[in-house]
Coordinates of all heavy atoms in Angstrom, one line a residue:
M1 N 11.8 2.4 43.7 CA 13.0 3.1 43.4 C 12.6 4.5 43.1 O 11.8 4.8 42.2 CB 13.6 2.4 42.2 CG 14.9 3.1 41.8 SD 15.8 2.0 40.6 CE 15.6 3.0 39.2
A2 N 13.2 5.4 43.8 CA 12.9 6.8 43.6 C 13.9 7.4 42.6 O 15.1 7.4 42.8 CB 13.0 7.6 44.9
D3 N 13.4 7.9 41.5 CA 14.2 8.5 40.5 C 14.1 10.0 40.6 O 13.5 10.7 39.8 CB 13.7 8.1 39.1 CG 14.0 6.6 38.8 OD1 14.9 6.1 39.5 OD2 13.4 6.0 37.9
S4 N 14.8 10.5 41.6 CA 14.7 12.0 41.8 C 16.1 12.4 42.4 O 16.7 11.7 43.1 CB 13.6 12.4 42.7 OG 13.8 11.8 44.0
I5 N 16.4 13.6 42.0 CA 17.7 14.3 42.5 C 17.3 15.6 43.2 O 16.6 16.4 42.6 CB 18.6 14.5 41.4 CG1 19.0 13.2 40.7 CG2 19.9 15.3 41.9 CD1 19.9 13.4 39.4
I6 N 17.7 15.7 44.4 CA 17.4 17.0 45.1 C 18.7 17.7 45.3 O 19.7 17.2 45.9 CB 16.8 16.7 46.5 CG1 15.5 15.9 46.3 CG2 16.6 17.9 47.3 CD1 14.8 15.4 47.5
M7 N 18.8 18.9 44.8 CA 19.9 19.7 44.9 C 19.6 21.0 45.6 O 18.6 21.6 45.3 CB 20.5 20.1 43.5 CG 20.8 18.9 42.6 SD 22.2 17.9 43.1 CE 23.5 18.9 42.8
K8 N 20.4 21.4 46.5 CA 20.2 22.7 47.3 C 21.3 23.6 46.9 O 22.4 23.3 46.7 CB 20.1 22.4 48.8 CG 19.0 21.6 49.2 CD 18.8 21.6 50.7 CE 17.5 20.8 51.0 NZ 17.3 20.8 52.4
K9 N 20.9 24.9 46.8 CA 21.8 25.9 46.4 C 22.8 26.2 47.5 O 22.4 26.4 48.7 CB 21.0 27.2 46.0 CG 21.8 28.3 45.4 CD 20.9 29.4 45.0 CE 21.8 30.6 44.6 NZ 20.9 31.7 44.2
H10 N 24.1 26.2 47.2 CA 25.1 26.6 48.2 C 25.1 28.1 48.4 O 24.5 28.9 47.6 CB 26.5 26.1 47.8 CG 26.6 24.7 47.7 ND1 27.0 23.9 48.8 CD2 26.5 23.8 46.7 CE1 27.1 22.6 48.5 NE2 26.7 22.5 47.2
A11 N 25.7 28.5 49.5 CA 25.8 30.0 49.7 C 26.7 30.6 48.7 O 27.7 30.0 48.2 CB 26.5 30.2 51.1
N12 N 26.3 31.7 48.2 CA 27.0 32.5 47.1 C 27.2 31.7 45.8 O 28.1 31.8 45.1 CB 28.4 32.9 47.6 CG 28.3 33.9 48.8 OD1 27.3 34.7 48.9 ND2 29.3 33.8 49.7
E13 N 26.2 30.8 45.5 CA 26.2 30.1 44.3 C 25.2 30.6 43.3 O 24.0 30.8 43.7 CB 26.0 28.6 44.6 CG 26.1 27.7 43.3 CD 25.8 26.2 43.7 OE1 25.1 25.9 44.6 OE2 26.3 25.4 42.9
G14 N 25.5 30.8 42.1 CA 24.6 31.3 41.1 C 23.7 30.2 40.5 O 24.0 29.0 40.7
A15 N 22.7 30.6 39.8 CA 21.8 29.6 39.2 C 22.5 28.8 38.2 O 22.2 27.6 38.0 CB 20.6 30.3 38.6
A16 N 23.4 29.4 37.4 CA 24.1 28.7 36.3 C 25.0 27.5 36.9 O 25.0 26.4 36.4 CB 24.9 29.6 35.5
S17 N 25.7 27.8 38.0 CA 26.6 26.8 38.6 C 25.7 25.7 39.3 O 26.1 24.5 39.2 CB 27.5 27.4 39.6 OG 26.8 28.1 40.6
L18 N 24.6 26.1 39.8 CA 23.7 25.1 40.4 C 23.2 24.2 39.3 O 23.1 22.9 39.5 CB 22.5 25.8 41.1 CG 21.4 24.8 41.6 CD1 22.0 24.0 42.8 CD2 20.2 25.6 42.1
Y19 N 22.8 24.7 38.2 CA 22.4 24.0 37.0 C 23.4 23.0 36.5 O 23.2 21.8 36.2 CB 21.9 24.9 35.9 CG 21.3 24.2 34.7 CD1 20.1 23.5 34.8 CD2 22.0 24.3 33.5 CE1 19.6 22.8 33.7 CE2 21.5 23.6 32.4 CZ 20.3 22.9 32.5 OH 19.8 22.2 31.4
R20 N 24.7 23.5 36.4 CA 25.8 22.7 35.9 C 26.0 21.5 36.9 O 26.2 20.4 36.5 CB 27.1 23.5 35.8 CG 27.2 24.2 34.5 CD 28.6 24.7 34.3 NE 29.1 25.6 35.4 CZ 28.9 26.9 35.5 NH1 28.2 27.5 34.5 NH2 29.4 27.6 36.5
R21 N 26.0 21.8 38.2 CA 26.2 20.8 39.2 C 25.1 19.7 39.1 O 25.3 18.5 39.3 CB 26.2 21.5 40.6 CG 26.7 20.6 41.7 CD 27.2 21.4 42.9 NE 26.1 22.3 43.4 CZ 25.2 22.0 44.3 NH1 25.2 20.8 44.9 NH2 24.3 22.9 44.7
F22 N 23.8 20.2 38.9 CA 22.7 19.3 38.8 C 22.9 18.4 37.6 O 22.7 17.2 37.6 CB 21.4 20.1 38.6 CG 20.2 19.2 38.2 CD1 19.6 18.4 39.1 CD2 19.8 19.2 36.9 CE1 18.5 17.6 38.7 CE2 18.7 18.4 36.5 CZ 18.1 17.6 37.4
L23 N 23.3 19.0 36.4 CA 23.5 18.2 35.2 C 24.6 17.1 35.4 O 24.4 16.0 34.9 CB 23.8 19.1 34.0 CG 22.6 19.8 33.4 CD1 23.1 20.7 32.3 CD2 21.5 18.9 33.0
K24 N 25.6 17.5 36.1 CA 26.7 16.6 36.3 C 26.2 15.4 37.2 O 26.5 14.2 36.9 CB 27.9 17.3 37.0 CG 29.1 16.5 37.3 CD 30.2 17.3 37.9 CE 31.4 16.4 38.2 NZ 32.4 17.2 38.9
H25 N 25.5 15.7 38.2 CA 25.0 14.7 39.1 C 23.9 13.8 38.3 O 23.9 12.6 38.5 CB 24.3 15.3 40.3 CG 24.0 14.4 41.4 ND1 25.0 13.8 42.2 CD2 22.8 13.8 41.8 CE1 24.4 13.0 43.1 NE2 23.1 13.0 42.8
F26 N 23.1 14.4 37.5 CA 22.1 13.7 36.8 C 22.7 12.8 35.8 O 22.3 11.6 35.6 CB 21.2 14.7 36.0 CG 20.1 14.1 35.2 CD1 19.0 13.5 35.7 CD2 20.3 14.1 33.8 CE1 18.0 13.0 35.0 CE2 19.3 13.6 33.0 CZ 18.2 13.0 33.6
R27 N 23.7 13.2 35.1 CA 24.4 12.3 34.1 C 25.1 11.1 34.7 O 25.0 10.0 34.2 CB 25.4 13.1 33.3 CG 24.8 14.1 32.3 CD 25.9 14.7 31.4 NE 25.3 15.8 30.7 CZ 25.7 17.1 30.7 NH1 26.7 17.4 31.5 NH2 25.1 18.0 30.0
S28 N 25.7 11.4 35.9 CA 26.4 10.3 36.5 C 25.5 9.3 37.3 O 25.9 8.2 37.6 CB 27.4 10.8 37.5 OG 26.8 11.5 38.6
S29 N 24.2 9.7 37.5 CA 23.3 8.9 38.3 C 22.8 7.7 37.5 O 22.4 6.7 38.1 CB 22.2 9.7 38.9 OG 21.3 10.2 37.8
G30 N 22.6 7.9 36.2 CA 22.1 6.8 35.4 C 20.6 6.8 35.3 O 20.0 5.9 34.8
I31 N 20.0 7.9 35.8 CA 18.5 8.0 35.8 C 18.0 8.1 34.3 O 17.0 7.5 33.9 CB 18.0 9.2 36.6 CG1 18.3 8.9 38.1 CG2 16.6 9.5 36.4 CD1 18.0 10.1 39.0
Q32 N 18.7 8.8 33.5 CA 18.3 9.1 32.1 C 18.2 7.7 31.3 O 17.2 7.5 30.6 CB 19.2 10.0 31.4 CG 18.7 10.5 30.1 CD 19.6 11.5 29.4 OE1 20.7 11.7 29.9 NE2 19.1 12.2 28.4
T33 N 19.2 6.9 31.5 CA 19.2 5.6 30.8 C 18.1 4.7 31.3 O 17.4 4.1 30.5 CB 20.6 4.9 30.9 OG1 20.9 4.8 32.3 CG2 21.7 5.7 30.3
S34 N 17.8 4.7 32.6 CA 16.8 3.8 33.1 C 15.4 4.3 32.6 O 14.5 3.5 32.3 CB 16.8 3.8 34.6 OG 16.5 5.0 35.2
V35 N 15.2 5.6 32.5 CA 13.9 6.2 32.1 C 13.7 5.9 30.6 O 12.6 5.5 30.2 CB 13.9 7.7 32.3 CG1 12.7 8.3 31.6 CG2 13.8 8.0 33.8
K36 N 14.8 6.0 29.8 CA 14.7 5.7 28.4 C 14.4 4.2 28.2 O 13.6 3.8 27.3 CB 15.9 6.1 27.6 CG 16.0 7.6 27.4 CD 17.1 7.9 26.5 CE 17.1 9.4 26.2 NZ 18.1 9.8 25.2
Q37 N 15.0 3.3 29.0 CA 14.7 1.9 28.9 C 13.3 1.6 29.2 O 12.6 0.8 28.5 CB 15.7 1.1 29.8 CG 17.1 1.0 29.3 CD 17.9 0.2 30.3 OE1 17.6 0.0 31.4 NE2 19.1 -0.1 29.8
K38 N 12.7 2.2 30.2 CA 11.4 2.0 30.6 C 10.4 2.5 29.5 O 9.4 2.0 29.2 CB 11.0 2.7 31.9 CG 11.6 2.1 33.1 CD 11.3 2.9 34.3 CE 12.0 2.4 35.5 NZ 11.8 3.2 36.7
R39 N 10.8 3.6 28.8 CA 10.0 4.2 27.8 C 10.0 3.5 26.5 O 8.9 3.2 25.9 CB 10.5 5.7 27.5 CG 9.6 6.4 26.5 CD 10.1 7.8 26.4 NE 9.3 8.5 25.3 CZ 9.7 9.6 24.8 NH1 10.7 10.3 25.2 NH2 9.0 10.1 23.8
F40 N 11.1 3.1 26.0 CA 11.2 2.5 24.7 C 11.3 0.9 24.7 O 11.0 0.3 23.7 CB 12.4 3.0 24.0 CG 12.3 4.5 23.7 CD1 13.2 5.4 24.3 CD2 11.4 5.0 22.8 CE1 13.1 6.7 24.1 CE2 11.3 6.3 22.6 CZ 12.1 7.2 23.2
Y41 N 11.7 0.4 25.8 CA 11.8 -1.1 25.8 C 11.0 -1.6 27.0 O 11.4 -1.9 28.0 CB 13.3 -1.5 26.1 CG 14.2 -0.9 25.0 CD1 15.1 0.1 25.3 CD2 14.2 -1.4 23.7 CE1 15.9 0.7 24.4 CE2 15.1 -0.9 22.8 CZ 15.9 0.2 23.1 OH 16.7 0.7 22.2
G42 N 9.7 -1.8 26.7 CA 8.7 -2.3 27.7 C 9.0 -3.7 28.0 O 9.6 -4.5 27.2
R43 N 8.5 -4.1 29.1 CA 8.7 -5.5 29.5 C 7.8 -6.4 28.7 O 6.8 -6.0 28.1 CB 8.5 -5.7 31.0 CG 7.1 -5.4 31.4 CD 6.9 -5.6 32.9 NE 5.7 -6.3 33.2 CZ 5.2 -6.4 34.4 NH1 5.7 -5.8 35.4 NH2 4.0 -7.0 34.5
K44 N 8.2 -7.7 28.7 CA 7.4 -8.7 27.9 C 6.1 -9.0 28.6 O 6.0 -8.9 29.8 CB 8.2 -10.0 27.8 CG 9.5 -9.8 26.9 CD 10.2 -11.1 26.8 CE 11.5 -10.9 26.0 NZ 12.3 -12.2 25.9
L45 N 5.1 -9.3 27.8 CA 3.8 -9.6 28.3 C 3.9 -11.0 29.0 O 4.6 -11.9 28.5 CB 2.7 -9.6 27.2 CG 2.5 -8.3 26.6 CD1 1.5 -8.4 25.5 CD2 2.0 -7.3 27.6
S46 N 3.1 -11.2 30.0 CA 3.1 -12.5 30.7 C 2.3 -13.5 29.9 O 1.6 -13.2 28.9 CB 2.4 -12.3 32.1 OG 1.1 -12.1 31.9
K47 N 2.5 -14.8 30.2 CA 1.9 -15.8 29.5 C 0.4 -15.8 29.5 O -0.3 -16.0 28.6 CB 2.4 -17.2 30.1 CG 2.0 -18.4 29.2 CD 2.6 -19.6 29.8 CE 2.3 -20.8 29.0 NZ 3.0 -22.0 29.5
N48 N -0.2 -15.4 30.7 CA -1.6 -15.3 30.8 C -2.2 -14.2 30.0 O -3.2 -14.3 29.3 CB -2.0 -15.0 32.3 CG -1.9 -16.3 33.1 OD1 -1.9 -17.4 32.6 ND2 -1.7 -16.1 34.4
I49 N -1.5 -13.0 29.9 CA -2.0 -11.9 29.1 C -1.9 -12.3 27.6 O -2.8 -12.0 26.9 CB -1.2 -10.6 29.4 CG1 -1.5 -10.2 30.9 CG2 -1.5 -9.5 28.4 CD1 -0.7 -9.0 31.3
R50 N -0.8 -12.9 27.2 CA -0.7 -13.3 25.8 C -1.8 -14.3 25.5 O -2.4 -14.3 24.4 CB 0.6 -14.0 25.6 CG 1.7 -12.9 25.4 CD 3.0 -13.6 25.0 NE 3.6 -14.3 26.2 CZ 4.3 -15.4 26.1 NH1 4.5 -16.0 25.0 NH2 4.7 -16.0 27.2
R51 N -2.2 -15.2 26.4 CA -3.2 -16.2 26.1 C -4.6 -15.5 26.0 O -5.4 -15.8 25.1 CB -3.3 -17.2 27.3 CG -4.3 -18.3 27.1 CD -4.3 -19.3 28.2 NE -3.0 -20.0 28.3 CZ -2.3 -20.2 29.4 NH1 -2.6 -19.6 30.5 NH2 -1.1 -20.9 29.3
K52 N -4.9 -14.6 26.9 CA -6.1 -13.8 26.9 C -6.2 -13.0 25.6 O -7.3 -12.9 25.0 CB -6.3 -12.9 28.1 CG -6.6 -13.6 29.4 CD -6.7 -12.7 30.5 CE -6.9 -13.4 31.8 NZ -6.9 -12.5 33.0
D53 N -5.1 -12.4 25.2 CA -5.1 -11.6 23.9 C -5.4 -12.5 22.7 O -6.2 -12.2 21.8 CB -3.8 -10.9 23.7 CG -3.6 -9.7 24.6 OD1 -4.6 -9.3 25.2 OD2 -2.5 -9.2 24.8
C54 N -4.8 -13.7 22.7 CA -5.0 -14.7 21.6 C -6.5 -15.1 21.6 O -7.1 -15.1 20.5 CB -4.1 -15.8 21.8 SG -4.2 -17.0 20.4
I55 N -7.1 -15.4 22.7 CA -8.5 -15.9 22.7 C -9.4 -14.7 22.3 O -10.3 -15.0 21.5 CB -8.8 -16.3 24.2 CG1 -8.1 -17.6 24.5 CG2 -10.3 -16.5 24.3 CD1 -8.2 -18.1 25.9
N56 N -9.1 -13.5 22.7 CA -9.9 -12.4 22.3 C -9.8 -12.2 20.8 O -10.8 -11.9 20.1 CB -9.4 -11.1 23.1 CG -10.3 -10.0 22.8 OD1 -11.5 -10.1 22.4 ND2 -9.8 -8.8 23.1
R57 N -8.6 -12.3 20.2 CA -8.4 -12.1 18.8 C -9.2 -13.2 18.0 O -9.8 -12.9 17.0 CB -6.9 -12.2 18.5 CG -6.5 -11.7 17.2 CD -5.0 -11.5 17.1 NE -4.2 -12.6 17.6 CZ -3.4 -12.5 18.7 NH1 -3.4 -11.4 19.4 NH2 -2.7 -13.5 19.1
L58 N -9.1 -14.4 18.5 CA -9.8 -15.5 17.8 C -11.3 -15.4 17.8 O -12.0 -15.6 16.8 CB -9.4 -16.9 18.4 CG -7.9 -17.3 18.1 CD1 -7.6 -18.6 18.9 CD2 -7.7 -17.5 16.6
T59 N -11.8 -14.9 19.0 CA -13.3 -14.8 19.0 C -13.8 -13.6 18.1 O -14.8 -13.7 17.5 CB -13.8 -14.5 20.5 OG1 -13.0 -13.4 21.0 CG2 -13.5 -15.7 21.4
K60 N -13.0 -12.5 18.1 CA -13.4 -11.4 17.2 C -13.3 -11.9 15.7 O -14.2 -11.5 14.9 CB -12.4 -10.2 17.4 CG -12.7 -9.4 18.6 CD -11.8 -8.2 18.7 CE -12.0 -7.4 19.9 NZ -11.1 -6.2 20.0
Q61 N -12.3 -12.6 15.4 CA -12.2 -13.1 14.0 C -13.3 -14.0 13.7 O -13.9 -13.9 12.6 CB -10.9 -13.9 13.9 CG -10.6 -14.4 12.5 CD -9.3 -15.2 12.4 OE1 -8.6 -15.4 13.4 NE2 -9.0 -15.6 11.2
A62 N -13.7 -14.9 14.6 CA -14.9 -15.8 14.4 C -16.2 -15.1 14.2 O -17.0 -15.4 13.3 CB -15.0 -16.8 15.5
T63 N -16.4 -14.0 15.0 CA -17.7 -13.3 14.9 C -17.7 -12.5 13.6 O -18.7 -12.3 12.9 CB -17.9 -12.3 16.1 OG1 -16.7 -11.5 16.2 CG2 -18.1 -13.1 17.4
Y64 N -16.5 -12.0 13.2 CA -16.4 -11.2 11.9 C -16.7 -12.2 10.7 O -17.5 -11.8 9.8 CB -15.0 -10.6 11.8 CG -14.9 -9.8 10.5 CD1 -15.3 -8.5 10.5 CD2 -14.2 -10.3 9.4 CE1 -15.2 -7.7 9.3 CE2 -14.0 -9.5 8.3 CZ -14.5 -8.2 8.2 OH -14.4 -7.5 7.1
E65 N -16.1 -13.3 10.7 CA -16.3 -14.3 9.6 C -17.8 -14.8 9.6 O -18.4 -14.9 8.5 CB -15.4 -15.5 9.8 CG -14.0 -15.1 9.5 CD -13.0 -16.3 9.8 OE1 -13.5 -17.3 10.3 OE2 -11.8 -16.1 9.5
K66 N -18.4 -14.9 10.8 CA -19.8 -15.3 10.8 C -20.7 -14.2 10.2 O -21.6 -14.5 9.5 CB -20.2 -15.6 12.3 CG -21.6 -16.1 12.4 CD -22.0 -16.4 13.8 CE -23.4 -16.8 14.0 NZ -23.8 -17.0 15.4
A67 N -20.4 -13.0 10.6 CA -21.2 -11.9 10.0 C -21.0 -11.8 8.5 O -21.9 -11.4 7.8 CB -20.7 -10.6 10.7
Q68 N -19.8 -12.1 8.0 CA -19.6 -12.1 6.6 C -20.4 -13.2 5.9 O -21.0 -12.9 4.8 CB -18.1 -12.3 6.3 CG -17.3 -11.0 6.1 CD -15.9 -11.3 5.6 OE1 -15.4 -12.4 5.8 NE2 -15.3 -10.3 5.1
R69 N -20.4 -14.3 6.5 CA -21.2 -15.4 5.9 C -22.7 -15.1 5.9 O -23.4 -15.5 5.0 CB -21.0 -16.7 6.7 CG -19.6 -17.4 6.4 CD -19.6 -18.8 6.9 NE -19.9 -18.9 8.3 CZ -19.1 -18.8 9.4 NH1 -17.8 -18.6 9.1 NH2 -19.5 -18.9 10.6
E70 N -23.2 -14.4 6.9 CA -24.6 -14.1 7.0 C -25.0 -12.9 6.1 O -26.1 -12.5 6.0 CB -25.0 -13.8 8.4 CG -24.9 -15.0 9.3 CD -25.1 -14.7 10.8 OE1 -25.2 -13.5 11.2 OE2 -25.2 -15.7 11.6
G71 N -24.0 -12.2 5.5 CA -24.2 -11.1 4.6 C -24.3 -9.8 5.3 O -24.7 -8.8 4.7
K72 N -24.0 -9.7 6.6 CA -24.1 -8.4 7.4 C -23.0 -7.5 7.0 O -23.1 -6.3 7.1 CB -24.1 -8.7 8.9 CG -25.4 -9.4 9.3 CD -25.4 -9.7 10.8 CE -26.6 -10.5 11.2 NZ -26.6 -10.8 12.6
I73 N -21.8 -8.1 6.6 CA -20.6 -7.4 6.3 C -20.3 -7.8 4.8 O -20.2 -9.0 4.5 CB -19.5 -7.7 7.2 CG1 -19.8 -7.3 8.6 CG2 -18.2 -6.9 6.7 CD1 -18.7 -7.7 9.6
P74 N -20.1 -6.8 3.9 CA -19.8 -7.2 2.5 C -18.4 -7.9 2.5 O -17.5 -7.4 3.2 CB -19.8 -5.9 1.8 CG -19.7 -4.8 2.8 CD -20.2 -5.4 4.1
T75 N -18.3 -8.9 1.7 CA -17.0 -9.6 1.5 C -16.1 -8.7 0.6 O -16.6 -7.9 -0.2 CB -17.2 -10.9 0.9 OG1 -17.9 -10.8 -0.4 CG2 -18.1 -11.8 1.7
P76 N -14.8 -8.9 0.8 CA -13.9 -8.1 -0.1 C -14.0 -8.5 -1.5 O -14.3 -9.6 -1.9 CB -12.5 -8.5 0.5 CG -12.7 -9.7 1.3 CD -14.1 -9.8 1.7
H77 N -13.9 -7.5 -2.4 CA -14.0 -7.6 -3.8 C -15.4 -8.1 -4.3 O -15.5 -8.6 -5.4 CB -12.9 -8.6 -4.4 CG -11.5 -8.3 -3.9 ND1 -10.9 -7.1 -4.3 CD2 -10.7 -8.9 -3.1 CE1 -9.7 -7.1 -3.8 NE2 -9.5 -8.2 -3.0
G78 N -16.4 -7.9 -3.5 CA -17.7 -8.2 -3.9 C -18.0 -9.7 -4.1 O -18.9 -10.0 -4.9
K79 N -17.3 -10.6 -3.6 CA -17.5 -12.0 -3.8 C -18.7 -12.5 -3.0 O -19.0 -12.2 -2.0 CB -16.2 -12.8 -3.4 CG -15.1 -12.5 -4.4 CD -13.9 -13.3 -4.0 CE -12.7 -13.0 -4.9 NZ -11.5 -13.7 -4.6

């Protein structure tokens, strides 16, 4: 999907009127809303990606806890 608007200047048309015409076309096209939706409301992660993230999180947690037990990382509150 191409999100672009091409406007050509008419004969004897000033820059201000070309800009106004562009803004009118831009507002009515709905491009701004679709761009904002893509920017602020990302799509949901797939099941495989969520699973990989969970496995990665659990392995990091296990290695951290193992390092704490071995004394490589100080435990919180000096325990």
